[in-house]
Every structure is written in structure tokens, then in C-alpha cells.
Amino acid sequence: MRARSRNRFGNSRRLFPAVAILAVFYILYRCNVHQVEESQWLSSYMNVDAPLQLGAATVKSSFNWSRVKHQHPPVGALEPLPSTKGLKALPKVQHSFKLETTKAKAIREARRREVRELFQRDWQAYRKYAWMKDALKPMSGSFVDQFSGWAATLVDSLDSLWIMGLREEFNEAVDAVAGIDFGKSSSPRVNTFETNIRYLGGLLAAYDLSKREILLVKAKELGELLYGAFNTANRMPVDFIDFARAKTGDELFVEGSVVSASPGTLSLEMTRLSQLTGDPKYYNAMFKVMDVFYTQQNETQLPGLWPMMVSMSSQDVSTGYTFTLAGCADSLYEYLPKMYGLIQGAEAKYKIMSERFMDAADKYMFFRPMVPGEEDMLVSGNVNVYNDGQHVLDPETEHLACYIGGTMALGGRLLNRPNDVTIGAKLTQGCIYAYKSMPAGVGPERHDMIACESRKDCPWDEQVWIQERQKRPEWKEHLPKGFTTAKDPRYILRPEAIESVFLLYRITGRTEFQDAAWDMFQGVRNSTGAKLASAAVPDVTKPVDPSENEDYMESFWLAETLKYFYLAFSPPDLVSLDDYVFNTEAHPFLRPK
């Protein structure tokens, strides 16, 4: 589940009068921007360049990945990028919002400002203590490089800076991105999945929003490196790129077993890169991977769903007995309806795969939990299949699974399946409930509940809850009623719950989701506060002492979590779901018309 930019005026020749005029407008803009209401100027400047770019200069990486001659190039004609011309427009995704009252607008804007202020505080901490490093350690003021040392937090956060109207910070970050060297890595192995979603996704989205050419230049550089992940005997991607070997062009070796999300989460970024560059090779590479998933989707132990672990070396994505929509598999499913949206329905297999998985997930994975208030909500569990073919629901869920409510609702809109929007809303309510139930006001990383036999009738039975919790060695006295475990009680700044809340608000227009977003934000802000910036919480099932928080701030905190909170309180035309599709790191890609 994660962007940057360049100077167009650096090569100007004797254009002093034009530059002077632009400079005057820039000064007027900078002096007056704070006098203009946020909701007006943010929407106005979303799709135009900042008035002036200063200091950004293209710095080519020390190694040219485009010149590598791969031992295993694609064979035969390339699969062409599907054309969207002449296609019937897909259904509208966003709710048709009415003009809000003056009071409602004032409340929303005040909430949005508080999110923005928190983002600014944490961004400045990163800038001061961890600039050009992958992640800030917010308790000690140190840093860590865990994603090749290419300034993951900076690249991941660039589109957030743009969306929040922080142009000065955006321009500074753009200048820094121009100097990132993708020819060097702090690690001998490059994680394909993380590099794709955080770095490539971030660069592409920031380019789509700002149109800064340097962002696309750097995205192409990185795209060539990632394209090398497919330099294998069967053209399936490696999970980790051997950095030194990749430079030689010698074949890379596909791992025998990987989590299904890893190869299944390349489609959006590779497709968008092909759309922007006009080069079909990126789309072609991932097309063959998704074809493997497509042809075997109904051959698994749970037809419509793929096992958590798959083998790309043997191209086997059907053998396996453990199924989940959460960690290890999540974005594989998330990308199916999103790909359908990105290519405007031009490739039918994404519609078919989406419908298959949504039907199977509803049948096997979703359950109504038994809770004292008997709220009508759903939770996504896991399924184990035994040798005799019997499938058993494991009512354990993760914070990572909270994306599924938004995915179901988005798929419901794009595929014209209204019931899936209803299901998505109930799944999102299940995650909101976890937040409301915990003393910290934040949902845990992993917990268990009791699955009711029926979704229609689910009466609370305290004796059943007592019996079930006694079967769980992880149960603790202080857990709220209805919860049988909190196997992992941490909150590590994850975005999935607010992601779905944001999507459901934009899709349904129901203000209860916007109100829930505010409650969640207060819980998150109060729990994660640390001396320098926001930090992971070790246990949300107890009252939180922020001084005991963990010394780590994931890049997705600024890239995803705070961005989704901000957008939940923004005017609906700011990054409209009818114009953009978000990758799994909350990077918005422009949908071609």
C-alpha cells in the first residue's frame, strides 16, 4: 500500500518581460492566497501548475535502466493498451451533492483545517529530522531507510502536499525529487510491490495532479527499473529485484511462493505509466500476470477467490487452502474494479474478475458480528478449506481488511450493482464500530468477534460471548463486549478504515460517514501524538499514554491516512471519484476520458 517534480522556466531565453509578469502574479498570489477561502482556492488550483517553479533541475540517475538488454524480453507482438475511444461512459460514481448550509460548511471547513494543521506539523518534523530519508522516527528524531533509501515519505507525500494546497512545500519537495538517484539503492534487493505502489504510484499521481514534467521523467526512470522485474524465464515478476544483477540484464529468478497481493498489485501503476508515455510495454508486462489470475479464478478451493499464497514460478494461483481479503491478498482484489475504472471498461476481464470476487466474498467471507447493541453491520473474516472440501469461517479480521467496504461500494457503482454499495456501507460500519468500541477511539490491527448464523437476525447472547471468549487464550478482561480477542492491539497509523469512510461518504452522500470520520480523526490524533510527530500506538484496547508510543511513522501516514481524512472534509469536487481512481497507497490517477 505510496510521488514528485520539475522546473519549466529554467531554460528560458531572454524572456524577462514574461517572467517578470509571472513573478508579479506569483507575489500577488502568495500574498493573497490566505485571504481566499480554502474551499475555493483548493478546487481552483487542483489542475493547474503552481505559478512559478524555482530551482528544480533534472538530475538523471547514475544508471540508465532503459539501456539494459534483458535476457528474456517479451516474445511476439505486445498486447496493445486498450483504447477508451468510443466507449460508453461508465456509471457515475459520486453522489450528486446538494449545496450545503452555511453552518454545515463552517463545521466541515474547521475540521479540514485541523487535519491540515496536523499534516503540516508532521511534515515539518520529517523535513527537519529525516529529509530525503525513507521514514521519520518521531520519538527520537532519527530516521530509517527501509525502501531503498529513495526518500519514501517525501515521494509518498507529494500529492498530499498538492491536494492540501501547500505549494511552497510542494515545490521544495519537487526540487528534491529531481535529484533522487534510482541507480543506487540502500539495499541490495528492491521490493517490487512497495516500490511500485509508494514510489511509482506517487510520482504518477503527483504528475497527474500538477503536470510537472520532472515527475514523469522520474517515473519513467523508475518504471524501467521495475520493468526489469519481469526479466524472468516465464515473464512473471520477481518479488524482490536483485539490484546488481538487474543492471547486467541477466535473468532474474521468480520466487517459488509469494503473497498473492504482490504480483496482483502492479496493474494500475503499469497501466497508467503506459497511458502517460504511450509505451505499451508496461501494460503488456502486467497483462500477462493478470491473465494468470483470470484463467484460474474459478479453479480454486473457493471459486472466485485466490489463495493467500501463490506461485509465480509455476504460474499456479489456484492451489492453496487459506483465503483472506486482508493482509497478503488485499490489494489484489482492490485493484480489480479500479482497473475497470481506469481503462473505462475497455477490458471485460476486469469486470468479470470483479463480479466473481465480490460474489464469492459476500458468500464466504462477510459475517454479521454479535454485539450488545445488535447493530446491523458486517465484518470480513478469513476462510480455511480442509482436505474434504469443507470451508470454515475464521471470524478474525484486520485493520487491513477495512478497505473492502470502499472497494465493494466502488465496484457496486462502476458495475451497476446497487446491493454491493449497501454491503460496502455495512462493512464500513463494522470498522467504524471497532474504532468506537476501543478506549483509544482507534481500531486495533487484528481482532476476533463472533459470527452470527444469520445476517437478518442477530440477537445479543452474553452467555455465548462468555463461552466463545473462554476458548481464546488471547482474550483479556478489559476487552469490550462482543470482542473475543485483540490478537494485535496496535495501531500503526493505518489508513484503511478512513479510506472506506471517505469512499462511502463520496459515493452515498450520507453525512453519518463524515461525522464518523471526525470521531475517528479525534481518536487517532489524540492517541498518536508524540513529541515531534505522530507515532504508532502499541495498544488501543487501553487508555493511551502517547509518551509510550512506538518510534516509527510509516510513510503512508502522510500519503494515505491524513489525505483521506482531509478529503473526507473537502468539497466533493476535490479529487472527484468520477475523475480519479486511487491506487492502494491513496495516489489518485486521472481516468482518461
Side-chain angles (χ1 to χ4, degrees):
M1 319 159 124
R2 311 27 170 165
R4 288 20 34 140
S5 169
R6 161 160 163 82
N7 178 0
R8 289 184 186 164
F9 294 97
N11 298 322
S12 59
R13 302 188 192 95
R14 299 193 181 123
L15 295 178
F16 177 77
V19 173
I21 292 170
L22 285 171
V24 171
F25 278 112
Y26 177 71
I27 293 168
L28 290 172
Y29 165 69
R30 292 301 304 165
C31 292
N32 290 289
V33 69
H34 296 297
Q35 299 176 20
V36 182
E37 186 172 355
E38 265 191 314
S39 60
Q40 296 174 332
W41 68 261
L42 275 175
S43 295
S44 312
Y45 286 94
M46 263 295 296
N47 293 306
V48 299
D49 290 331
L52 188 63
Q53 301 176 59
L54 303 174
T58 308
V59 179
K60 292 186 177 180
S61 294
S62 58
F63 183 81
N64 190 339
W65 291 99
S66 67
R67 293 183 178 177
V68 176
K69 294 187 181 299
H70 294 166
Q71 183 175 339
H72 295 290
V75 177
L78 295 181
E79 185 70 31
L81 189 67
S83 173
T84 60
K85 292 182 180 179
L87 291 175
K88 182 180 178 181
L90 293 179
K92 191 175 184 296
V93 175
Q94 286 207 162
H95 176 76
S96 296
F97 288 87
K98 297 179 180 178
L99 191 66
E100 61 189 339
T101 66
T102 302
K103 180 180 179 181
K105 184 176 183 179
I107 293 172
R108 178 182 58 73
E109 288 293 336
R111 291 173 173 178
R112 183 163 70 145
R113 279 193 295 274
E114 292 200 33
V115 177
R116 189 169 181 257
E117 288 168 1
L118 179 57
F119 178 95
Q120 287 177 288
R121 185 200 74 148
D122 289 2
W123 172 258
Q124 289 303 324
Y126 169 76
R127 182 180 180 276
K128 182 176 181 179
Y129 297 103
W131 188 246
M132 298 304 290
K133 302 299 181 181
D134 284 347
L136 169 70
K137 299 181 77 172
M139 307 292 283
S140 62
S142 185
F143 57 82
V144 62
D145 276 334
Q146 82 279 44
F147 297 120
S148 302
W150 297 324
T153 293
L154 187 149
V155 177
D156 227 0
S157 304
L158 193 59
D159 54 358
S160 295
L161 292 168
W162 180 271
I163 288 168
M164 294 187 190
L166 301 171
R167 293 296 187 263
E168 186 174 328
E169 294 87 342
F170 177 83
N171 287 337
E172 180 183 40
V174 162
D175 291 354
V177 166
I180 293 177
D181 186 354
F182 291 124
K184 298 177 181 178
S185 172
S186 61
S187 170
R189 300 198 311 156
V190 173
N191 186 306
T192 305
F193 170 84
E194 298 289 359
T195 304
N196 179 64
I197 64 171
R198 298 193 197 219
Y199 289 113
L200 182 58
L203 289 165
L204 293 171
Y207 173 77
D208 269 341
L209 292 169
S210 71
K211 299 299 184 286
R212 302 295 178 82
E213 290 299 326
I214 184 58
L215 295 169
L216 189 54
V217 169
K218 300 305 285 187
K220 287 178 182 177
E221 283 188 10
L222 188 59
E224 290 292 343
L225 187 164
L226 287 170
Y227 187 68
F230 297 87
N231 181 23
T232 63
N234 63 4
R235 295 293 296 169
M236 294 295 108
V238 295
D239 211 27
F240 285 86
I241 300 171
D242 182 323
F243 201 69
R245 187 177 180 88
K247 289 182 175 181
T248 69
D250 291 341
E251 78 169 288
L252 303 182
F253 302 99
V254 185
E255 297 87 351
S257 180
V258 297
V259 299
S260 58
S262 183
T265 312
L266 299 169
S267 54
L268 281 178
E269 295 80 6
M270 289 294 172
T271 298
R272 188 62 187 142
L273 185 57
S274 281
Q275 289 176 337
L276 289 171
T277 63
D279 189 338
K281 72 179 186 180
Y282 311 106
Y283 173 80
N284 180 264
M286 76 83 204
F287 180 90
K288 296 181 182 300
V289 177
M290 295 313 298
D291 221 33
V292 172
F293 282 99
Y294 174 62
T295 56
Q296 297 181 42
Q297 187 175 12
N298 281 340
E299 297 175 5
T300 71
Q301 296 292 329
L302 288 183
L305 302 171
W306 296 276
M308 184 171 68
M309 305 299 296
V310 297
S311 174
M312 302 314 291
S313 59
S314 60
Q315 299 185 54
D316 179 1
V317 299
S318 60
T319 302
Y321 301 91
T322 301
F323 294 80
T324 183
L325 299 177
C328 300
D330 45 7
S331 44
L332 163 63
Y333 298 102
E334 176 190 354
Y335 272 28
L336 298 178
K338 290 184 174 183
M339 265 298 291
Y340 189 68
L342 182 64
I343 59 176
Q344 298 292 75
E347 175 54 67
K349 74 179 179 184
Y350 291 104
K351 179 178 187 290
I352 295 169
M353 284 194 286
S354 296
E355 291 177 336
R356 286 174 178 173
F357 113 73
M358 292 161 74
D359 288 340
D362 185 33
K363 179 178 180 180
Y364 297 114
M365 297 286 196
F366 303 154
F367 67 91
R368 181 173 175 176
M370 186 184 74
V371 291
E374 301 182 11
E375 286 86 350
D376 186 8
M377 59 188 177
L378 294 174
V379 171
S380 180
N382 305 317
V383 172
N384 296 308
V385 180
Y386 294 97
N387 291 333
D388 60 0
Q390 181 186 13
H391 53 82
V392 177
L393 175 70
D394 175 7
E396 177 179 295
T397 194
E398 302 175 37
H399 197 288
L400 279 165
C402 282
Y403 80 95
I404 193 61
T407 295
M408 290 293 291
L410 181 65
R413 275 284 191 267
L414 288 171
L415 304 174
N416 197 22
R417 291 162 52 112
N419 188 54
D420 289 320
V421 178
T422 301
I423 291 171
K426 290 184 178 183
L427 287 162
T428 303
Q429 291 288 4
C431 292
I432 293 171
Y433 184 87
Y435 271 62
K436 289 193 302 184
S437 300
M438 296 298 159
V442 182
E445 181 78 354
R446 188 189 303 264
H447 66 271
D448 286 82
M449 302 181 83
I450 301 168
C452 296
E453 293 185 5
S454 169
R455 291 188 190 177
K456 294 181 179 180
D457 185 30
C458 190
W460 171 251
D461 188 326
E462 189 139 355
Q463 284 304 118
V464 171
W465 172 62
I466 292 172
Q467 292 169 7
E468 289 300 314
R469 78 187 192 194
Q470 289 174 343
K471 300 176 184 177
R472 303 280 189 174
E474 305 94 344
W475 182 77
K476 293 180 173 57
E477 288 285 346
H478 65 273
L479 288 178
K481 290 184 177 181
F483 294 83
T484 57
T485 78
K487 288 180 179 176
D488 189 342
R490 298 175 300 155
Y491 173 66
I492 61 172
L493 309 178
R494 286 204 189 277
E496 292 77 19
I498 183 57
E499 173 185 354
S500 283
V501 170
F502 157 70
L503 288 169
L504 264 296
Y505 172 64
R506 286 286 187 89
I507 289 170
T508 68
R510 287 159 52 180
T511 56
E512 67 193 77
F513 290 110
Q514 205 172 41
D515 291 337
W518 179 243
D519 291 340
M520 292 164 65
F521 174 71
Q522 293 181 93
V524 167
R525 178 180 57 185
N526 295 340
S527 300
T528 61
K531 181 180 179 181
L532 303 177
S534 301
V537 182
D539 190 345
V540 301
T541 68
K542 300 177 180 179
V544 174
D545 179 354
S547 67
E548 298 177 355
N549 283 353
E550 298 174 357
D551 195 15
Y552 191 60
M553 187 179 83
E554 273 273 11
S555 72
F556 54 63
W557 169 247
L558 298 177
E560 297 189 72
T561 309
L562 290 183
K563 182 191 297 170
Y564 280 131
F565 274 119
Y566 185 82
L567 288 173
F569 304 122
S570 295
D573 64 338
L574 187 64
V575 195
S576 167
L577 299 179
D578 291 316
D579 298 325
Y580 293 88
V581 62
F582 289 85
N583 88 333
T584 195
E585 192 75 6
H587 295 309
F589 297 162
L590 193 61
R591 293 170 57 186
K593 299 299 182 183

